[in-house]
């Protein structure tokens, strides 16, 4: 583990392997450990960087709203420290929102983009209301909020089959401070629509979706890439493809990384 500072906040990250840089960004209530099953293989061929986003893992909080732009600047700070000029960004869920913000703020640094169980669209009014409800819920009962939130990310069929993995995700999520959770919910609520980036940017892009994702409607999310060059990879399961479809995802993303020209 390595650290750097951004606006008086400690940022935790890892850096392993050599070659084309691949930056892995975790989702809400997750941290950089979510990528542990992928790093040993991927780091044989690529330089793999994982980053704890604001208020998650071993990275500190920075105020009461962690915007996607704030997080994108954190990613930029880490890449600047490592003297990396261009990279492939992979973002799971909220990490995808951060990757899109980075792509808009630092377009010349983009080599490729993977949105993993994520969307380029802003929150609907209904989703914003749900974020406000979530903020109230986590303040009222931290543990109940974490437990329900994590279980609801998996397809129903997988909740029993993957019960041990789900418990491990919950344990990591419980390490997320209340301020980090609330600030991230506030940040996701105000994020802007970035669908245009899927249509107009020149680098390779991949959208990975679960057909039974309880969070993102598969058909609606898929609409974003109509009439684009974005590749689609779909799985039959939920929002946690890195666990529900781990082996297939490991192979598919490795193939995507190899396809991105240096």
């Amino acid at each position: 583990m390595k650290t750097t500072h951004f606006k008086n906040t400690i940022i935790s990250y890892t850096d392993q392997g050599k070659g084309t840089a691949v930056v892995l960004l975790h989702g809400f209530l997750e941290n950089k450990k979510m990528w542990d099953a992928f790093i040993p293989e991927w780091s044989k061929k690529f330089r793999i960087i994982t980053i704890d986003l604001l208020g998650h893992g071993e990275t500190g909080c920075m105020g009461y709203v962690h915007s996607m732009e704030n997080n994108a600047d954190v990613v930029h700070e880490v890449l600047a420290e490592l003297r990396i000029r261009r990279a492939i960004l992979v973002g799971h869920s909220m990490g995808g929102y951060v990757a899109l913000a980075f792509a808009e703020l630092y377009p010349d640094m983009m080599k490729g983009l993977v949105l993993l169980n994520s969307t380029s669209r802003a929150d609907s009014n209904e989703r914003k209301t749900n974020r406000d409800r979530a903020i109230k819920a986590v303040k009222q009962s931290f543990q109940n909020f974490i437990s329900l939130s994590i279980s609801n990310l998996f397809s129903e069929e997988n909740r029993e089959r993957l019960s041990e993995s789900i418990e491990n995700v919950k344990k990591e999520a419980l390490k997320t401070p209340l301020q980090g959770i609330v600030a991230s919910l506030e940040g996701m609520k105000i994020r802007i629509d970035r669908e245009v980036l899927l249509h107009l940017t020149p680098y390779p892009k991949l959208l990975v979706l679960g057909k039974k994702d309880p969070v993102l409607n598969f058909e609606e999310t898929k609409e974003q890439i109509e009439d684009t060059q974005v590749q689609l990879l779909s799985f039959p399961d939920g929002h946690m493809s890195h666990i529900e479809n781990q082996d297939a995802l490991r192979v598919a993303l490795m193939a995507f990384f190899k396809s991105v020209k240096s």
Side-chain angles (χ1 to χ4, degrees), residues 138-157:
V138 73
K139 287 179 178 177
Q140 286 171 353
S141 180
F142 185 84
Q143 287 195 314
N144 281 352
F145 172 80
I146 297 288
S147 185
L148 279 171
S149 296
I150 299 303
S151 293
N152 288 340
L153 297 175
F154 293 80
S155 68
E156 282 187 39
E157 299 89 331

Side-chain angles (χ1 to χ4, degrees), residues 151 154-167 244:
S151 293
F154 293 80
S155 68
E156 282 187 39
E157 299 89 331
N158 283 333
R159 287 172 198 169
E160 189 173 334
R161 180 176 73 86
L162 296 170
S163 57
E164 189 177 332
S165 296
I166 292 170
E167 286 307 309
E244 294 174 281

Side-chain angles (χ1 to χ4, degrees), residues 55-70:
H56 286 72
E58 294 164 295
T59 288
C61 294
M62 195 181 78
Y64 297 102
V65 179
H66 292 158
S67 71
M68 301 306 102
E69 293 81 6
N70 290 151

